[in-house]
Structures are given as C-alpha cells and as structure tokens.
Amino acid sequence: METRVVFQSEQNIDRNVMEEAGRLIRAGELVAFPTETVYGLGGDALNTASSAKIYQAKGRPSDNPLIIHICRFEDIYEICSQVPPQAGKLAQAFWPGPLTMILPKADRVPGETTGGLDTVAVRFPSHPVARAFIEAAGGFIAAPSANVSGKPSPTLAKYVLEDMNGKIPLIIDGGAVGIGVESTIIDLTGREPELLRPGYITREMLSEVLGRVEQDQTMMEAHPTGRPKAPGMRYRHYAPKGELTLVSGEAARVASYINEQCGLAKAEHRKTGVLCTQESLPLYQASVIDSVKSMGSRESQESIARELYRVLRECDDEGLEVIFAESFSDEGLGQAVMNRLLKAAGHRTVEV
Ligand code: TXA
Ligand code: MG
C-alpha cells in the first residue's frame, strides 16, 4: 500500500483532505493525524475490523485497549453507559484538551476496541486538525499513538511515516505537536478518581477540580508489586536501542560522572550520547561524547516534554550505544517526563 502524507495547517483546514480522510475511515482504513499531545493512528472505533487493523499496524498486543477520540462533549453519552458528575467537571475544566477519562462502556462499543474491558477510555482533543478529522470521520475515532509498539510516540509526521510507511493509506501532517507526551489518564470507575498515566494535566490540576485524586502506585516504580491499571503501562515502552541510564544529582557532578563514563565507553569503541539541558550543554566533553543533545531548558518543563521523544528517536537514528540522560524533579509536568524517561531507561538510574 502506498502511504500519502498531506500537510494541513491548523489555521486553514482543507475540507477536501478531511473528506477524503473521513471516507477512508468509513471504509475501514486507518489514517494517522496530529493531536496536541502526539500523533494518533486513527480507525473507526465502532468497527471491529478497524481496531484489528490498528493492532496489526502497531504490532500491539490486542489486550491493550484503545482511546476513543470524540469531537463534541455530548458524544460521551454514546459510548459510555454512565457519566458521573466528576466527568462533567473535568470536561468543563480540561476539554477539549490532553485528558483521557476511563468510564463504563456502552454496549455499542466493541470489546475489540477496549481490549475486552467493560470500561472505555475517552478523549476530546483540542488540536483543530484532530477535531475536524474526527468530525469528518463520523465522530468516534479509536487512536493509539501512531508509533510501532515499543518505540517513542511520534511528535512529527516524519516519525509516523518511518513506522507506518506502506501500512496505512494516509498521514495528515500537522507539523510538530505542542505537548509531546501522551494525555493524562484518569480512571473514574473506582471509588475514588485515580490517575493512571501522568501527562500535561497534572495531579495537582485534577485535584483542584475533584478534590482527592489517587494515583496508581505502579506508575513510577521500578519493580511494581501490583498490576498497572492502564494495560499499556505494563509494557516496556519508549526504549532506545542503546543502553540508557538516568543520572541525578548536582549539575556539575552529573556532568563529570557522565563525561567519565562516556570516556570509558569510548575506549571500548562504543558510540556515546548524552541527553542534557540547555543550561548544562557546555559541561559535556565533545572529545568523548559522540552526540550531545539538549532536551530543552530546565526553566521550562514544557520544552523538555516537547523534545523528549524526538531526542530518544534520534538516539536510534544515530546508532548510539551508551546513552546518559539528566534527571528532573517529578513535580508538575515533571512527573510525566520522569515517567517516560524511567521507562525508556528500564529504570536504570544512578545518583551522584
Ligand atoms: O495523547 C494520547 O492519549 C494519544 C493521542 C493519540 O491521543 N494516544 C495514546 O494512546 O497515547 P495509546 O494507545 O498509546 O495509550 C492508551 C493508554 C494505554 O496505556 C491503555 O492501556 C490505556 O490508555 N487504556 C485505554 N483504555 C483503557 C481502559 N479502559 N482502562 C484502562 N486503561 C486504558
Ligand atoms: Mg502509545
């Protein structure tokens, strides 16, 4: 199958492109599209054959449920059997936007979309192209991130093409995404609201609306004793091919440890890389490090979230074998960044 990439600006959405994308979805095909978090791989959420195609294109286990994307709040009633007042409050505060809610599913949502669960993940994205696409496609789009399972989520259309070329007919290219990490997931089906995946909407922000919010304790742990409640959080994710280690401590000490370790790796002819920040860039020694990459500024957690997946993908593109990354505080958006970095590193961490 030939994969076409069509550019769409947020300001000037081409109806013809949206109509074509809508036709493809109704015909049971898949279309990749930009959202404010990461690119999604969309299919008709109410068509079991489309869900099967999504799992196949991603190489994803079919017990890992998909998020259904909607483009009008009211549509939540079409796919959920119960919508508690908390969902309305959260929607008021954060929709459209990077928040996914887990709710009891309505009968018309096929088990193929929800990985056999009787709950469903619902998200109303804010990206104008995503909204226009969902609307043109009938209103209910199942979409995981548009990467092959195990790779970082795509933040640029070129990474979608890398992973999906020949597998899907159309990629809508909306340029670089704004947020860079996947939506926050909150489960509203238990006794207390519970955060299952950290994202741009932080636990503090959720608490301001709901009061107390629990947190899946397995989220940040290296060797969780329980089972993560979001099935996707169980799998090793976002892992570069090289060996990634997170280093925490005072900036100068971190840099000197990393320089030393890279020197040792270099002596064994291994290709080395560092993921650092603008502030610490001058501390690293080009003589022993093949690739020094800034993820953004320590002053802006947003900048780190936005660049994180790009730099992880570049590590593979450049064939880096031994990689070190600086650590961050897990306050606010830092929790989402550290959750992804810890997974990418397989929880390999060093404190200096
Ligand atoms: O920002 C995002 O959410 C992106 C964009 C494309 O919208 N999508 C995304 O989808 O990250 P995906 O499939 O890569 O991650 C969905 C996560 C998985 O960890 C999955 O296990 C969890 O949501 N999930 C889906 N339905 C669930 C349910 N009913 N109960 C618990 N977890 C669920
Ligand atoms: Mg994903």
Side-chain angles (χ1 to χ4, degrees):
M1 176 184 298
E2 198 198 326
T3 303
R4 269 201 322 134
V5 182
V6 180
F7 185 76
Q8 272 299 283
S9 95
E10 285 182 33
Q11 287 79 29
N12 189 9
I13 294 171
D14 183 342
R15 292 286 136 207
N16 292 324
V17 173
M18 291 304 135
E19 268 169 35
E20 185 199 347
R23 263 197 309 278
L24 286 166
I25 294 293
R26 284 171 219 270
E29 291 295 341
L30 307 184
V31 174
F33 64 102
T35 82
E36 67 277 22
T37 56
V38 298
Y39 275 80
L41 177 63
D44 181 351
L46 306 178
N47 178 344
T48 55
S50 300
S51 299
K53 271 192 190 168
I54 291 177
Y55 289 112
Q56 196 182 14
K58 275 184 70 85
R60 170 168 174 159
S62 60
D63 65 349
N64 187 0
L66 306 172
I67 296 175
I68 301 187
H69 296 64
I70 57 176
C71 59
R72 276 177 297 263
F73 174 76
E74 316 81 89
D75 288 345
I76 197 172
Y77 298 102
E78 305 285 323
I79 50 175
C80 302
S81 62
Q82 283 165 49
V83 180
Q86 290 159 328
K89 283 192 198 161
L90 287 176
Q92 188 97 43
F94 305 117
W95 275 4
L99 177 70
T100 297
M101 300 188 220
I102 310 290
L103 293 164
K105 90 172 184 66
D107 290 341
R108 69 187 292 214
V109 177
E112 280 80 356
T113 302
T114 63
L117 298 176
D118 53 13
T119 55
V120 61
V122 190
R123 164 155 138 74
F124 178 177
S126 61
H127 197 295
V129 175
R131 293 169 66 172
F133 162 64
I134 297 163
E135 178 157 29
F140 302 97
I141 292 294
S145 48
N147 52 290
V148 161
S149 214
K151 284 226 218 167
S153 297
T155 51
L156 291 168
K158 73 168 183 178
Y159 295 133
V160 180
L161 186 63
E162 213 171 275
D163 285 10
M164 294 297 151
N165 197 9
K167 297 184 196 168
I168 63 174
L170 182 63
I171 296 171
I172 304 174
D173 177 356
V177 299
I179 294 178
V181 292
E182 305 85 346
S183 61
T184 303
I185 302 182
I186 186 162
D187 184 354
L188 297 177
T189 64
R191 239 181 320 126
E192 303 284 349
E194 184 174 6
L195 178 63
L196 304 190
R197 179 172 75 180
Y200 186 81
I201 307 293
T202 62
R203 190 179 179 191
E204 297 77 43
M205 290 160 79
L206 296 166
S207 293
E208 270 174 37
V209 176
L210 298 180
R212 194 174 161 71
V213 172
E214 301 293 326
Q215 159 168 309
D216 186 342
Q217 283 312 324
T218 65
M219 221 162 55
M220 309 296 279
E221 286 173 3
H223 305 288
T225 40
R227 257 165 100 79
K229 298 200 178 85
M233 302 287 276
R234 280 206 290 273
Y235 301 99
R236 184 164 184 242
H237 247 190
Y238 326 119
K241 294 193 191 93
E243 183 189 281
L244 172 64
T245 306
L246 301 193
V247 187
S248 63
E250 186 266 320
R253 272 211 310 277
V254 167
S256 95
Y257 174 83
I258 291 177
N259 285 329
E260 183 190 309
Q261 292 297 311
C262 286
L264 296 173
K266 206 71 209 132
E268 294 172 0
H269 307 289
R270 301 176 76 193
K271 226 176 155 189
T272 56
V274 175
L275 312 182
C276 65
T277 49
Q278 248 156 270
E279 291 81 0
S280 59
L281 209 48
L283 303 176
Y284 293 97
Q285 287 166 1
S287 55
V288 289
I289 306 172
D290 295 299
S291 185
V292 181
K293 298 176 184 301
S294 167
M295 296 181 273
S297 166
R298 281 204 176 261
E299 302 285 297
S300 156
Q301 292 180 314
E302 281 81 7
S303 67
I304 310 280
R306 202 160 45 230
E307 301 304 331
L308 181 62
Y309 287 150
R310 177 181 60 79
V311 296
L312 286 175
R313 282 202 177 235
E314 285 176 5
C315 289
D316 285 348
D317 296 344
E318 294 170 23
L320 303 182
E321 300 170 85
V322 178
I323 311 156
F324 293 91
E326 294 179 3
S327 276
F328 301 90
S329 125
D330 60 7
E331 295 291 303
L333 181 54
Q335 188 181 26
V337 168
M338 282 306 288
N339 169 264
R340 295 350 182 244
L341 265 176
L342 282 164
K343 278 175 185 266
H347 286 268
R348 192 179 304 106
T349 55
V350 175
E351 208 183 318
V352 295

